[in-house]
Amino acid sequence: AYEANCAKCHGLKDPARYSEEKWKKVNPRMAKKAGVDAATEELILKYVLTAGSAANSGAQAFHKNIGGDASNSSGHDLPFQII
């Protein structure tokens, strides 16, 4: 549902890019623009929250295993530093 509906108007966003709070604010507005029903809107929200959480958990676990944190000097949540 996410790819089929959200890519109609813009490029797909990385679900980990936004916080849960931000997704909950943006999702209803975008669903209205895309003309999706309430069930599809809820499905999309569940997808982005689950996918975003999984991506962030993976970064946190990686950094925990190497003794660091999930941020770096570039300001991005990446397991490496951008130079």
Side-chain angles (χ1 to χ4, degrees):
Y2 175 66
E3 291 179 8
N5 289 290
C6 301
K8 290 179 191 176
C9 302
H10 56 76
L12 295 174
K13 305 298 182 193
D14 177 357
R17 181 177 180 182
Y18 300 116
S19 67
E20 180 175 344
E21 180 182 319
K22 180 74 172 181
W23 277 117
K24 286 181 176 182
K25 185 176 180 181
V26 170
N27 194 59
R29 188 176 70 230
M30 292 295 112
K32 184 176 180 180
K33 284 184 174 187
V36 300
D37 60 32
T40 303
E41 178 183 344
E42 182 66 23
L43 186 63
I44 291 169
L45 181 61
K46 285 181 181 179
Y47 169 77
V48 295
L49 294 180
T50 302
S53 176
N56 287 328
S57 294
Q60 294 294 332
F62 175 83
H63 286 285
K64 183 177 179 183
N65 288 337
I66 62 169
D69 63 31
S71 62
N72 58 41
S73 63
S74 68
H76 299 284
D77 289 339
L78 300 173
F80 52 85
Q81 183 173 357
I82 300 175
I83 300 175

